[in-house]
Amino acid sequence: MAYAADPAAKDLSAKVESVKEQAAAKAATFKGSAESSKPAPRPVQVSAAERAAAAAALDKSAGAGTSAAVDATPLVKANPGLGVFAVATGTGAHGFTLKSRVTTSAASALRVEVNWGDGSPVETRYTTDATSLDSRHSYAKVGAHTATVTVTDLNNEVSSTDTVKLLSYGSEFTPHDPTRLLDTRDGTGTDYAHAVPAYGSTRVKVGGNSGIPLGATAVALNVTVTNAAADGHVLAYASGGPRPEASIVNFVKGQTVPNLTIVPVGADGYVELVNNSWGQADLIADVTGYFTRSEASGYTSVNPTRFVDTRSWNGGRGAGLPGGSTTGLRILGQAGVPASGVTAVALNVTVTNPKDAGHLSVFPAGSGLPSTSNLNFVGGQTVANSVIVPVGADGWINVRNGSWNSTDMVIDVVGYYSPDSKAAYLPVEPTRLHDSREWSPVAAQDYRYFWLSDGEPSVKAFVLNTTVTNTKDDGHLSVAPDPNTKARYLAGNPVWPAVPNSSNLNWTKGKTVPNLVQASTGTTGVIDFWNRGWMPTDLVIDMFGLYETD
């Protein structure tokens, strides 16, 4: 089997976990109210049964010789130093670690209760001294929550409480009719019409624009480069954040090329786009949805499943999509998508055999034809792009062939968004996971496997920017979950995975091509990247975020 490099090059799960926890902790640390108010203990009544339960718990945990007995009757003396101070830190899309610092001025039996405020069982522990206790919890849904920590002195019958207001780091998706937010050709979204200069940047206003709320954490943008005066690539990142090394669109002089990206939004509501080229270029940005730290639609990944292939329509006669036509497709109930309750679908759309130049627009049924496009192509080209499209009220989506001539189209379903879906999006700073140029190219008709979420069943999919470069022949890349576990690979007895019938990006000889991939982790957390070309090619993988249920 190809790629016999050090297993550490394939085991990326530790790196993924580190990036995830750094992002969650950085964005979500919350202090309780007691830190500033320091409330005095209040009187409570404690029953004999509660004292007996505490005595049993303390004896079990500390054994004989515990520093404070639990009397049958209260000591009726003050404990002015009794208190609890809580600090919560995000651990993932839904999860938190809560540190409760307990103080006391009396050696006494103390009961500590953590109520997460969502109907889950109250956590109860006992101690006799000042201490710090750690608790961990994952909420079923993202959004605002309140955790309450109460410490009770069972002998002196006084109690103190702290509350922590939490906001989970995970974000859920709200679809948006395809809408143009930026077009430097005509000044849409800018002060005036002008191309982005060489190595210059432009800003896309997201929060507070076109009905997108302030506080949006990430946005699904289809970014298109056109009128490029030289070869180059585009970078996208949150305003105020670090500039990444990962590109989202690569282009050559004179080319018009789009690519979908899910990019974090800065605190000021903007996204930065950089023209990394020696020449000026026009940039276009179209929104199809956004993420917020509140309940909306979660994500469910599916194994990439072919939904449409017009090459097999009409008995395989290759009629394709006629020029200037709009085709309706019922997506609900098809290719792993439920028959109801779905707000948007994640697709990979490929154009092939176009008879002329043109573009393709994918949009929800029941809405007007947008001014946006998802793919641009020239005659004879095969080109793919990821698409996130809202689903019409009738369960259909539309595809418009903006060419004067016919073309074939292939659509693969990779996932869907719905209020019942459990996985929330956790954006991270763009992180390079793999660059085969540091190791060896992916062999022809072979695959490279990576352990991305081994031991992390809550991670359901990754948002990756995959790039092929140093291409020596035409080909395409397919990304799919692997049936083998990490343990099976390490044991040296994996089964050869079935070759996917889906594709994620297509390339021609000598081109560098990126594309967004929403990669399912399947049941093992191992993901395969297939080189479906007849010559070796280099592969670069950058992580922009992940979907998880915890």
Side-chain angles (χ1 to χ4, degrees):
M1 189 172 298
Y3 192 44
D6 188 329
K10 293 175 280 190
D11 188 356
L12 301 174
S13 53
K15 184 173 186 178
V16 167
E17 181 64 19
S18 175
V19 172
K20 182 192 80 170
E21 293 209 353
Q22 287 176 22
K26 181 179 179 181
T29 299
F30 306 91
K31 292 184 177 181
S33 57
E35 193 70 37
S36 56
S37 60
K38 294 182 173 56
R42 65 183 187 279
V44 294
Q45 289 186 335
V46 180
S47 67
E50 289 176 295
R51 291 193 181 88
L58 286 167
D59 287 343
K60 184 177 180 179
S61 62
T66 183
S67 61
V70 182
D71 296 335
T73 57
L75 300 180
V76 194
K77 65 178 183 180
N79 185 354
L82 184 70
V84 61
F85 305 93
V87 176
T89 303
T91 58
H94 297 78
F96 294 89
T97 292
L98 181 69
K99 183 176 288 293
S100 303
R101 181 169 56 90
V102 176
T103 62
T104 180
S105 55
S108 183
L110 307 178
R111 180 183 65 212
V112 183
E113 297 171 299
V114 178
N115 187 339
W116 291 99
D118 61 350
S120 59
V122 174
E123 299 178 24
T124 302
R125 304 185 203 179
Y126 295 93
T127 184
T128 58
D129 302 296
T131 188
S132 289
L133 301 174
D134 288 335
S135 307
R136 189 167 182 138
H137 186 67
S138 178
Y139 288 96
K141 297 294 288 184
V142 302
H145 305 279
T146 301
T148 304
V149 185
T150 302
V151 56
T152 302
D153 183 333
L154 299 175
N155 285 349
N156 295 297
E157 293 193 324
V158 288
S159 178
S160 183
T161 297
D162 195 8
T163 58
V164 188
K165 301 291 186 180
L166 307 174
L167 182 62
S168 52
Y169 184 44
S171 298
E172 294 197 347
F173 183 74
T174 299
H176 193 290
D177 280 348
T179 304
R180 186 142 293 171
L181 300 184
L182 173 76
D183 190 338
T184 61
R185 298 171 303 178
D186 61 14
T188 299
T190 63
D191 293 333
Y192 57 93
H194 64 95
V196 182
Y199 294 97
S201 65
T202 188
R203 309 180 82 214
V204 184
K205 181 174 175 58
V206 176
N209 189 11
S210 190
I212 302 171
L214 292 170
T217 57
V219 61
L221 287 178
N222 201 65
V223 178
T224 302
V225 180
T226 192
N227 301 326
D231 299 356
H233 60 268
V234 174
L235 307 176
Y237 62 101
S239 173
R243 180 177 291 194
E245 60 178 320
S247 62
I248 61 162
V249 183
N250 291 65
F251 55 89
V252 297
K253 180 179 178 179
Q255 184 182 23
T256 296
V257 56
N259 196 28
L260 181 71
T261 183
I262 297 177
V263 59
V265 178
D268 60 0
Y270 282 84
V271 167
E272 298 279 354
L273 299 179
V274 179
N275 170 24
N276 238 25
S277 168
W278 287 106
Q280 67 178 20
D282 280 307
L283 298 181
I284 303 164
D286 304 318
V287 62
T288 61
Y290 58 89
F291 295 83
T292 55
R293 293 166 73 176
S294 57
E295 287 190 40
S297 290
Y299 184 70
T300 298
S301 64
V302 302
N303 286 351
T305 304
R306 185 131 296 174
F307 170 50
V308 166
D309 188 340
T310 63
R311 296 171 297 184
S312 62
W313 286 6
N314 300 318
R317 292 194 296 271
L321 301 177
S325 68
T326 299
T327 301
L329 301 168
R330 178 169 178 82
I331 188 69
L332 295 191
Q334 309 293 322
V337 179
S340 62
V342 174
T343 59
V345 288
L347 312 171
N348 202 75
V349 180
T350 303
V351 167
T352 190
N353 304 321
K355 304 296 190 298
D356 206 343
H359 64 270
L360 214 64
S361 297
V362 187
F363 57 102
S367 64
L369 177 66
S371 61
T372 61
S373 63
N374 298 94
L375 291 94
N376 294 69
F377 51 86
V378 297
Q381 184 183 21
T382 296
V383 59
N385 196 17
S386 290
V387 174
I388 298 175
V389 58
V391 176
D394 59 358
W396 290 60
I397 59 175
N398 288 333
V399 181
R400 170 79 174 182
N401 177 11
S403 172
W404 291 106
N405 217 325
S406 65
T407 185
D408 279 312
M409 173 187 66
V410 180
I411 299 179
D412 299 312
V413 177
V414 299
Y416 61 87
Y417 298 88
S418 74
D420 292 333
S421 297
K422 304 301 181 185
Y425 184 60
L426 195 156
V428 302
E429 290 185 3
T431 302
R432 180 139 298 172
L433 298 181
H434 177 72
D435 189 339
S436 70
R437 294 170 296 186
E438 300 174 357
W439 302 89
S440 62
V442 185
Q445 298 297 314
D446 202 352
Y447 73 98
R448 187 152 295 179
Y449 57 92
F450 296 96
W451 309 319
L452 283 176
S453 60
D454 176 65
E456 290 282 341
S458 65
V459 178
K460 301 303 182 183
F462 287 91
V463 175
L464 307 172
N465 201 69
T466 56
T467 303
V468 292
T469 190
N470 299 325
T471 52
K472 298 176 175 60
D473 202 352
D474 299 353
H476 66 270
L477 183 78
S478 296
V479 182
D482 192 317
N484 298 291
T485 62
K486 172 183 175 181
R488 192 160 190 172
Y489 274 112
L490 292 177
N493 61 350
V495 299
W496 190 264
V499 178
N501 73 340
S502 59
S503 65
N504 294 90
L505 63 84
N506 297 69
W507 70 84
T508 54
K509 181 180 178 179
K511 300 298 185 184
T512 296
V513 181
N515 197 18
L516 181 85
V517 176
Q518 303 217 80
S520 170
T521 57
T523 59
T524 66
V526 182
I527 301 176
D528 296 334
F529 297 78
W530 290 82
N531 172 12
R532 302 296 293 144
W534 293 103
M535 294 290 289
T537 188
D538 276 311
L539 171 69
V540 181
I541 305 171
D542 299 298
M543 180 173 72
F544 280 71
L546 54 88
Y547 295 95
E548 69 170 355
T549 55
D550 283 352

